[in-house]
Amino acid sequence: MTTMEQLNVIFKTVFDDDDIMITPEMTANDVDGWDSLSHINLITTVEARFSIRFSQKELLTQKNVGDLIRDIESKLAAGN
Amino acid sequence: MLFNSLKYLLFLPSVYVVYYFVGERVRWCVLLAASLLFYAALNIPYLPIVLSLVALTTYSFGIWLDRAESHRSKRTLLWGGVTANVLILVCMKYLPFLSSNLNTVSAWFSVCNFSPAIFPTLVSIGVSYYVFQAISYLIDIYLEIEKPELHFGYFALYLSFFPKLLQGPIERSSDLIPQLKNRYEFNYDNMRFGLLLFTWGFFKKVVIADRLGFYADTVYNDVHAYTGLSLLFGTYAYAFQIYMDFSGYTDMALGSARLFNINLTQNFNSPYLATSVADFWRRWHISFSRWILDYIFKPLQMRWRDSKNWGTAAALIIAFLISGLWHGASWGFVIWGGLHGLYMACSAIWKPYQKRLYKALRVEKTPYLKSWQIFITFNLVSLAWVFFRANSLDDALYVVLNLIHRPVSNRIIDMLIGTGINQYNLMVLSISLVLILLVHFQSGKVRFTNCPTWFRWGVYFLLTLWVILFQAEGAASFLYLRF
């Protein structure tokens, strides 16, 4: 599975919605229930699933799903 | 210079005429000179000096931050720039509060003869607003969201642009600086909309807010003379006074800026129709709440993310305590901020259960639930306003403890008249509020610019006439000016 596909599974679980299909341009405004509370659940779930830890700067500059995927992939590449 | 003063009504068109006739290359100089003149007209000589100090410090740190190579030196420079700005704000606004509280604490313990100096209270109009903008500018450069502005003139104008200098909106450099650099061309729609918005704000301030102020001030300046419904109506009157006052000011600021083809951030979106306190903060003083969310709440929430909802709750309480302190150096503001933080923290912890409860009761998305949520949110916000408005903590506690009390008179109208508002004021207020509601509910459905010319000019004429005929006696200062 690609990073995007794995992330899509996490989105479905966190937002309790099996119909979510994420895209790189997707932002919090596009997903019902993506507020600051569910965002924390999303980030901690991503960190646990991929065994990574985002820096404060990365978390504060992620503006959409594309940014999140970019940071996940760069962390995974740095770990390998 | 206040927006609702004759001076400003002469100043604004004069600046516009000069701006219109000078060459494109020096237009920024006209706006900067006008902004400094506008600030100097407050007759407080040290304020333009403080503004220049903030501008110079932030401009220099911005450039150093961008040029720094290592992460460590970037971090040091960020903290240097932010600390310099916070120190300026503390010196201007909080030293008397800090020293008097230190005195109280040292007197309690009386373990040593420590007695900090008593500092004079300084007038700090506008300082909180441009210091917050300066801090956001530095953080955005640190996060590499923005590049620093190299032209000092445009940077100084970003901080000091007169329509938003005294009371905001708090603008991001990325939103305002590009607009300040745009080539100016006369735009009839902007001119018309700007003037209409300015007049609409004037109407909200002088006809409604100042009139509601008669009642709120009468009650709050002598709370012990009232009980029950009088206190409740006094509190509701204040809730609407501060909304009309601040949103009126914002409309006048946005209207003034629009004459120069500049769009400032809209600060309000029907806040008293919010269905939760979190929703209220998405609708009230939006530019400020975004600042608090982006630069205080989010970094804390991310840092404490392993504690899940409890970390979020703690971040909310701290963010809102700082929000309270930003409004002023008094315990009333701290409690006001703390209450909002507490509301939101409880909501963060309660939210998952609330969702399940609504599902079980099958009331999700029903109009009854929405009305109930609006009613509860408005009353929670009004309860917090008690601490914001009361002249002392004792007064605030008296109001809270006596809000629900058997009324002396059963006739609400008698109570209102007994507290200073007369039938004439009540009539003007009622008609004006109906007008506000009409505009609110029609604005989404009817496009004003598409209405026939006779209707539009009729509205301009009647609105101006209404303002001239029914403005409340005695021009009152804007409530948010002191923050």
Side-chain angles (χ1 to χ4, degrees):
Chain A
M1 271 210 288
T2 63
T3 310
M4 182 117 145
E5 286 164 345
Q6 291 181 66
L7 192 59
N8 207 111
V9 174
I10 295 173
F11 266 74
K12 285 179 180 176
T13 314
V14 170
F15 296 108
D16 194 19
D17 181 354
D18 288 338
D19 298 328
I20 289 185
M21 284 301 290
I22 60 168
T23 61
E25 297 77 29
M26 190 181 258
T27 67
N29 294 333
D30 304 318
V31 179
D32 199 24
W34 190 351
D35 55 18
S36 54
L37 298 182
S38 52
H39 184 66
I40 282 298
N41 286 337
L42 177 70
I43 293 298
T44 47
T45 312
V46 167
E47 286 182 330
R49 198 71 57 85
F50 289 97
S51 304
I52 54 175
R53 182 84 178 166
F54 293 116
S55 72
Q56 188 88 333
K57 197 169 172 175
E58 284 165 338
L59 290 172
L60 294 175
T61 49
Q62 288 164 355
K63 297 288 175 218
N64 55 26
V65 171
D67 290 346
L68 183 58
I69 292 171
R70 182 203 59 204
D71 288 340
I72 294 169
E73 287 179 341
S74 73
K75 293 262 165 205
L76 292 176
N80 287 336
Chain B
M1 200 186 301
L2 299 177
F3 284 173
N4 56 338
S5 68
L6 184 62
K7 264 190 202 170
Y8 187 75
L9 295 183
L10 296 172
F11 172 82
L12 183 63
S14 312
V15 174
Y16 179 75
V17 168
V18 178
Y19 181 82
Y20 182 82
F21 283 107
V22 297
E24 186 61 39
R25 287 169 65 97
V26 290
R27 281 202 165 119
W28 67 269
C29 301
V30 173
L31 286 185
L32 183 59
S35 301
L36 293 176
L37 189 70
F38 177 80
Y39 208 29
L42 292 172
N43 280 328
I44 301 155
Y46 54 81
L47 282 182
I49 298 171
V50 175
L51 173 62
S52 311
L53 191 64
V54 170
L56 269 170
T57 312
T58 311
Y59 173 78
S60 311
F61 271 97
I63 289 175
W64 296 334
L65 247 173
D66 188 53
R67 287 181 186 160
E69 298 278 324
S70 69
H71 180 68
R72 195 192 165 107
S73 50
K74 274 185 189 289
R75 218 178 152 77
T76 311
L77 282 164
L78 173 72
W79 280 110
V82 170
T83 308
N85 273 296
V86 171
L87 274 178
I88 291 171
L89 187 59
V90 168
C91 290
M92 291 297 298
K93 209 167 166 175
Y94 300 103
L95 281 185
F97 178 69
L98 287 174
S99 67
S100 75
N101 279 289
L102 271 175
N103 269 333
T104 311
V105 171
S106 64
W108 279 350
F109 293 104
S110 60
V111 285
C112 61
N113 289 329
F114 172 70
S115 57
I118 297 294
F119 293 93
T121 305
L122 297 171
V123 178
S124 58
I125 298 173
V127 179
S128 320
Y129 292 91
Y130 55 74
V131 162
F132 263 37
Q133 286 172 128
I135 293 173
S136 77
Y137 172 79
L138 291 174
I139 297 175
D140 286 352
I141 294 174
Y142 171 75
L143 292 175
E144 293 167 23
I145 298 170
E146 288 307 322
K147 294 298 280 180
E149 173 55 48
L150 300 178
H151 190 298
F152 180 70
Y154 278 114
F155 178 73
L157 181 55
Y158 154 62
L159 286 187
S160 64
F161 184 46
F162 70 88
K164 55 111 197 140
L165 176 61
L166 306 185
Q167 276 185 232
I170 296 171
E171 294 291 339
R172 294 273 177 93
S173 62
S174 54
D175 291 331
L176 189 53
I177 292 179
Q179 294 192 69
L180 294 171
K181 288 179 173 176
N182 278 346
R183 186 179 175 79
Y184 176 78
E185 275 172 24
F186 178 78
N187 181 312
Y188 177 72
D189 285 341
N190 275 348
M191 179 62 69
R192 179 174 60 182
F193 185 71
L195 289 174
L196 182 61
L197 199 56
F198 186 87
T199 315
W200 183 246
F202 208 98
F203 157 73
K204 281 178 173 176
K205 165 67 182 160
V206 301
V207 179
I208 304 181
D210 289 352
R211 199 161 257 110
L212 283 167
F214 292 156
Y215 185 67
D217 288 348
T218 308
V219 172
Y220 269 88
N221 287 338
D222 188 14
V223 289
H224 295 275
Y226 304 98
T227 54
L229 279 178
S230 298
L231 291 175
L232 190 69
F233 283 125
T235 304
Y236 286 164
Y238 181 69
F240 282 99
Q241 182 200 359
I242 195 165
Y243 172 42
M244 286 294 140
D245 190 286
F246 196 14
S247 73
Y249 175 91
T250 304
D251 288 345
M252 291 164 94
L254 266 65
S256 302
R258 193 60 87 87
L259 303 187
F260 305 95
N261 290 351
I262 286 165
N263 287 312
L264 297 179
T265 308
Q266 180 50 265
N267 250 347
F268 295 92
N269 177 21
S270 311
Y272 293 143
L273 293 180
T275 51
S276 65
V277 177
D279 189 26
F280 172 78
W281 280 103
R282 284 191 285 270
R283 295 159 172 263
W284 175 271
H285 203 178
I286 296 167
S287 63
F288 172 75
S289 56
R290 271 192 202 149
W291 194 100
I292 291 286
L293 183 78
D294 287 346
Y295 301 111
I296 310 266
F297 169 68
K298 273 186 187 169
L300 290 177
Q301 188 199 27
M302 295 300 173
R303 192 168 291 274
W304 299 331
R305 62 185 178 276
D306 295 331
S307 309
K308 298 279 175 83
N309 284 352
W310 291 99
T312 300
L316 281 166
I317 289 178
I318 290 179
F320 277 92
L321 282 174
I322 292 172
S323 151
L325 258 183
W326 177 88
H327 283 81
S330 88
W331 288 107
F333 291 130
V334 175
I335 293 174
W336 170 80
L339 270 176
H340 274 276
L342 200 64
Y343 294 156
M344 306 256 284
C346 291
S347 163
I349 292 161
W350 165 242
K351 202 174 176 180
Y353 307 103
Q354 186 189 35
K355 254 186 168 174
R356 275 181 237 162
L357 180 72
Y358 289 160
K359 231 176 195 171
L361 294 174
R362 294 181 182 171
V363 291
E364 277 182 312
K365 292 176 186 172
T366 59
Y368 309 109
L369 178 66
K370 196 179 171 191
S371 308
W372 173 248
Q373 287 172 326
I374 291 173
F375 174 77
I376 292 292
T377 305
F378 174 68
N379 281 287
L380 285 174
V381 169
S382 296
L383 181 69
W385 283 136
V386 171
F387 291 91
F388 196 89
R389 171 60 184 88
N391 295 336
S392 67
L393 274 186
D394 283 347
D395 279 7
L397 284 175
Y398 173 84
V399 174
V400 171
L401 294 174
N402 289 277
L403 271 174
I404 300 166
H405 197 278
R406 193 175 65 84
V408 178
S409 164
N410 288 325
R411 289 189 63 209
I412 290 173
I413 197 91
D414 286 349
M415 277 184 298
L416 291 173
I417 291 168
T419 50
I421 199 160
N422 57 32
Q423 284 179 341
Y424 164 76
N425 280 331
L426 211 56
M427 186 198 70
V428 174
L429 261 179
S430 309
I431 298 173
S432 302
L433 288 172
V434 167
L435 195 61
I436 294 267
L437 289 174
L438 261 178
V439 169
H440 173 79
F441 287 111
Q442 288 304 314
S443 60
K445 298 173 194 159
V446 182
R447 211 176 149 78
F448 184 68
T449 45
N450 292 344
C451 294
T453 312
W454 66 265
F455 179 79
R456 281 188 280 114
W457 280 94
V459 169
Y460 302 149
F461 178 74
L462 283 177
L463 186 61
T464 312
L465 195 70
W466 192 258
V467 169
I468 293 169
L469 289 179
F470 298 113
Q471 64 174 299
E473 282 170 32
S477 158
F478 287 94
L479 295 179
Y480 254 70
L481 205 62
R482 61 195 173 116
F483 308 135

